[in-house]
Amino acid sequence: MDKQHGNPNGLKEKLRTGEPSYVFAVRSIRDTGIVNIALAAQYDAVYIDFQHSPIALHEAANVFHAGAHGGLTVLARVPAADVSLVARCIDAGAHGLMLADLRDAEQARRCVEAALLHPIGNRSFGMPVDPRFMGMSGAVLMQAINQATLLVAMIESEQAVDGAEAIAAIDGIDAVQIGTADLSASMGVPGDYGHPRVQSAYRKVALACNAVKKPLIIGGIRNPAYLQPYIALGAVRCYFVGSDTGFLLDAARQAKSRLQSDIPH
């Protein structure tokens, strides 16, 4: 890898070392300016949320490439059932995938095969135009791309919790994330992130991750009171802070509120 471009996937490295990292979702902004915003605010990564936004792949591709040039990890969140989108996102330049709503190990295995190159996967190899890999070719290039690709298995159902040990053990899955909002909703306790059943699920998934030495990421929780017990279980300090849509809405409300408070009635 060309040294001037730094680590080929900074978020993957921070997950490996346990350093704190910060991520937000992209659901509204479709151009490369979001990379500059994320870097200026000192985030480690963003993810394009194909599951919950109308963003098109060709729009996301520009953000993937801008992130590669700027040193920002740009992931794609894709429904795990859509294996064709898994492969196309990596071909388009995504630095990794959040595999949403994985149900079992076999589904996870199919996603790995679609995302990674030989010998771990079987994705058809298209020559990337990516500054992280300039000067590489052949087996060296394929290995570098696999090593730089971050695959996160998202557990968002009780079925997936039951299969967490098998999911985490799959070669090519780098980390496991519990989507706590969807998991709690599927349990009939939406938003109750401290519910005993949610806690039990975290314990089970944490044990599965610890057994294969893969990081567990907390998803959907931003309240420190709920975060701390799961960090104590062994979850890494990788914080999913919100979304561009939420940030804009919050800022718009705050700006209006400040103006209203200063204007005499």
Side-chain angles (χ1 to χ4, degrees):
M1 184 195 66
D2 187 340
K3 289 182 180 178
Q4 80 180 77
H5 295 108
N7 191 291
N9 193 321
L11 179 62
K12 187 172 183 177
E13 178 63 14
K14 284 196 170 184
L15 289 173
R16 186 187 69 81
T17 61
E19 294 178 72
S21 53
Y22 299 87
V23 186
F24 68 83
V26 178
R27 295 182 178 136
S28 296
I29 299 176
R30 292 169 167 77
D31 63 43
T32 57
I34 195 65
V35 172
N36 292 333
I37 290 171
L39 290 171
Q42 298 184 322
Y43 278 79
D44 300 281
V46 300
Y47 68 92
I48 310 296
D49 193 349
F50 287 106
Q51 188 183 27
H52 297 125
S53 82
I55 295 175
L57 184 56
H58 72 274
E59 295 169 326
N62 293 328
V63 182
F64 298 149
H65 297 314
H69 283 277
L72 179 78
T73 298
V74 184
L75 308 175
R77 173 172 164 155
V78 300
D82 193 346
V83 177
S84 64
L85 183 58
V86 165
R88 292 186 69 211
C89 280
I90 298 295
D91 278 337
H95 308 164
L97 301 172
M98 297 165 61
L99 303 167
D101 197 20
L102 272 175
R103 292 290 171 152
D104 53 44
E106 181 54 35
Q107 191 178 53
R109 188 175 292 107
R110 288 197 298 270
C111 289
V112 168
E113 290 175 352
L116 298 182
L117 299 165
H118 181 81
I120 305 173
N122 59 20
R123 179 168 65 87
S124 177
F125 182 57
M127 286 299 293
V129 180
D130 190 319
R132 299 176 298 164
F133 309 118
M134 291 300 98
M136 297 180 184
S137 62
V140 172
L141 174 60
M142 294 172 72
Q143 182 182 27
I145 292 172
N146 279 350
Q147 289 177 343
T149 300
L150 172 63
L151 296 184
V152 180
M154 294 193 68
I155 289 182
E156 302 178 274
S157 67
E158 289 183 280
Q159 178 185 348
V161 171
D162 291 339
E165 186 174 352
I167 291 171
I170 291 175
D171 189 20
I173 294 295
D174 298 297
V176 174
Q177 181 178 40
I178 294 181
T180 323
D182 284 330
L183 177 61
S184 65
S186 76
M187 291 175 165
V189 291
D192 189 351
Y193 300 145
H195 192 279
R197 290 170 64 196
V198 176
Q199 293 179 11
S200 177
Y202 262 94
R203 284 193 293 270
K204 186 168 185 175
V205 178
L207 286 172
C209 290
N210 289 339
V212 291
K213 295 181 171 55
K214 292 183 181 178
L216 169 62
I217 303 170
I218 302 167
I221 302 177
R222 291 185 283 278
N223 185 329
Y226 289 121
L227 283 169
Q228 288 297 340
Y230 299 135
I231 292 172
L233 280 177
V236 292
R237 293 174 296 166
C238 178
Y239 304 111
F240 281 64
V241 177
S243 70
D244 58 346
T245 307
F247 296 158
L248 285 167
L249 181 58
D250 287 345
R253 285 171 172 163
Q254 290 170 15
K256 180 183 176 184
S257 178
R258 285 195 299 269
L259 184 61
Q260 286 175 326
S261 66
D262 291 338
I263 294 176
H265 293 286

